[in-house]
C-alpha cells in the first residue's frame, strides 16, 4: 500500500510531468498498436531504448519505479523461459540439448523478441501513471475524451481510497490482536480470521462508498449539462511535438528493422 499511497514517482516539473495526460495515453496507445503484431527483436529493442530515455526525462525516482516493475519483470522472465523451451521455432544451431528440452539460436531469438515486446508495450503505461497525477488524468479524460464524469470521478475516488483501505486493514488487525483474537499456529483458524477480516473490511468499504457517493452527488459530479471544470487541462504545442515524436520513433524503428530484413509479422 505504500507504493499506491505515493502515486507519482516522477518529477512534476520534468518534461513528461508537464504534458497533458491525454497526450501521454495517446502516445502509449501508438506504441501498443505498433508493437502488438511485431515478432522481431530489433523493433521493440529500439522502442524500449527510446522509452528508457523518456523515463530519464520524466525525472523518475528509480527505486520506487522499479518496485512497481518487479511483477512485470517476473512475468516477462517466466514467459521468456517458457518460450525458450517450448517454442516451435527450433531452427539454427543448438545451444542446449537436455532430453525433451532443446534450445537453439532461433528459440533464443524468439524468447528475446517476446520479452522485449512485452516490456516495450507495458513500460509506457507504467510511465504514464508514474508521471501523472490521478486528478489531472480524470480532468483531462472528461475535458478532451468526453468520458462520463460520474464514472471517471468515481474511479478517481476509488483509487484515492486504496491506501485508506490498507490503513483500515492494519487497524482492524491490531484491534483484534488487542482483544486477544489470535489464530496461533492453527492454519484453519488463520483462514477463518482472514475471511472474517475481509468481510469486515468489505462492510467498511461499502459504508464509505455510500457516504462518498452521496457527497459527490451533492457536489455535482453527475455530468449534468453546463458543469464546468475547476482544473482545465489544455493541450499545448509540446503535446503535439511529443505525440509526433512518438509516431516518428515507432515508424523509424519499424523502418530500420525492415531495412535490416529482420522485421516479421507475429503470426508468420
Amino acid at each position: 500500500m505504500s507504493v499506491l499511497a505515493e502515486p507519482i514517482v516522477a518529477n512534476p516539473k520534468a518534461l513528461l510531468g508537464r504534458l497533458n495526460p491525454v497526450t501521454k495515453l495517446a502516445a502509449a496507445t501508438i506504441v501498443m498498436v505498433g508493437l502488438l503484431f511485431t515478432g522481431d527483436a530489433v523493433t521493440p529493442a529500439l522502442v524500449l531504448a527510446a522509452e528508457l530515455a523518456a523515463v530519464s526525462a520524466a525525472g523518475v525516482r528509480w527505486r520506487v519505479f522499479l518496485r512497481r516493475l518487479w511483477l512485470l519483470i517476473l512475468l516477462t522472465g517466466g514467459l521468456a523461459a517458457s518460450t525458450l523451451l517450448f517454442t516451435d521455432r527450433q531452427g539454427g544451431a543448438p545451444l542446449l540439448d537436455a532430453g525433451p528440452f532443446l534450445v537453439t539460436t532461433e528459440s533464443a531469438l524468439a524468447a528475446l523478441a517476446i520479452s522485449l515486446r512485452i516490456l516495450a508495450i507495458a513500460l509506457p503505461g507504467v510511465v504514464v501513471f508514474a508521471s501523472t497525477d490521478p486528478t489531472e488524468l480524470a480532468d483531462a479524460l472528461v475535458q478532451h475524451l468526453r468520458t462520463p464524469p460520474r464514472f471517471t470521478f468515481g474511479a478517481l475516488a476509488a483509487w484515492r481510497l486504496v491506501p485508506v483501505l490498507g490503513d483500515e486493514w492494519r487497524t482492524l488487525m491490531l484491534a483484534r490482536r488487542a482483544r486477544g483474537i489470535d489464530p496461533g499456529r492453527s492454519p484453519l483458524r488463520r483462514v477463518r480470521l482472514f475471511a472474517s477480516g475481509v468481510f469486515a473490511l468489505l462492510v467498511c468499504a461499502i459504508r464509505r462508498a455510500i457516504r462518498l457517493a452521496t457527497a459527490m452527488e451533492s457536489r455535482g459530479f453527475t455530468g449534468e449539462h453546463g458543469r464546468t471544470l475547476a482544473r482545465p487541462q489544455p493541450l499545448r504545442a509540446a503535446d503535439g511535438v511529443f505525440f509526433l515524436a512518438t509516431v516518428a520513433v515507432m515508424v523509424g524503428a519499424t523502418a530500420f528493422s525492415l531495412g535490416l530484413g529482420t522485421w516479421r509479422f507475429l503470426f508468420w
Side-chain angles (χ1 to χ4, degrees):
M1 293 296 178
S2 61
V3 178
L4 294 176
E6 188 182 11
I8 300 180
V9 298
N11 184 1
K13 297 182 180 180
L15 175 61
L16 289 183
R18 298 194 303 267
L19 293 176
N20 191 289
V22 170
T23 302
K24 289 183 277 189
L25 284 177
T29 303
I30 289 294
V31 173
M32 181 187 68
V33 173
L35 294 178
L36 195 58
F37 300 107
T38 300
D40 68 302
V42 175
T43 305
L46 294 174
V47 175
L48 185 60
E51 292 170 357
L52 292 176
V55 171
S56 300
V60 167
R61 296 195 292 271
W62 283 98
R63 186 176 64 178
V64 181
F65 187 69
L66 290 176
R67 283 171 54 192
R68 293 189 173 192
L69 288 179
W70 72 268
L71 182 58
L72 173 63
I73 295 174
L74 181 63
L75 293 176
T76 303
L79 184 59
S82 62
T83 303
L84 186 67
L85 297 175
F86 304 110
T87 183
D88 57 354
R89 295 176 57 185
Q90 298 293 347
L95 301 177
L96 174 65
D97 190 356
F101 302 118
L102 175 63
V103 178
T104 65
T105 53
E106 282 290 329
S107 61
L109 188 60
L112 177 63
I114 195 169
S115 301
L116 292 174
R117 187 164 62 92
I118 291 175
L119 290 175
I121 290 176
L123 192 60
V126 179
V127 173
V128 168
F129 288 102
S131 62
T132 304
D133 182 83
T135 303
E136 294 180 356
L137 175 60
D139 290 333
L141 290 176
V142 172
Q143 180 179 354
H144 298 291
L145 299 185
R146 300 293 189 268
T147 58
R150 185 190 298 270
F151 172 79
T152 305
F153 292 114
L156 171 64
W159 172 257
R160 291 294 195 187
L161 286 179
V162 170
V164 177
L165 290 179
D167 294 337
E168 288 187 348
W169 174 262
R170 286 189 290 269
T171 302
L172 180 63
M173 292 296 104
L174 290 175
R176 292 190 172 192
R177 183 179 300 178
R179 288 194 290 268
I181 303 176
D182 190 354
R185 297 183 178 181
S186 173
L188 181 60
R189 292 187 62 185
R190 286 181 180 273
V191 173
R192 292 177 59 185
L193 182 62
F194 178 79
S196 62
V198 170
F199 179 75
L201 185 65
L202 178 62
V203 172
C204 293
I206 292 175
R207 290 176 178 174
R208 185 184 294 274
I210 293 174
R211 294 194 299 267
L212 182 61
T214 303
M216 294 181 68
E217 191 83 14
S218 65
R219 286 169 173 79
F221 289 93
T222 57
E224 296 180 357
H225 180 70
R227 187 180 186 278
T228 58
L229 289 172
R231 300 168 296 271
Q233 301 294 321
L235 291 171
R236 302 180 177 89
D239 295 289
V241 172
F242 181 79
F243 181 78
L244 293 177
T246 303
V247 175
V249 168
M250 195 64 247
V251 173
T254 304
F256 185 80
S257 180
L258 286 170
L260 289 180
T262 59
W263 192 93
R264 59 181 294 271
F265 188 65
L266 180 63
F267 301 107
W268 287 354

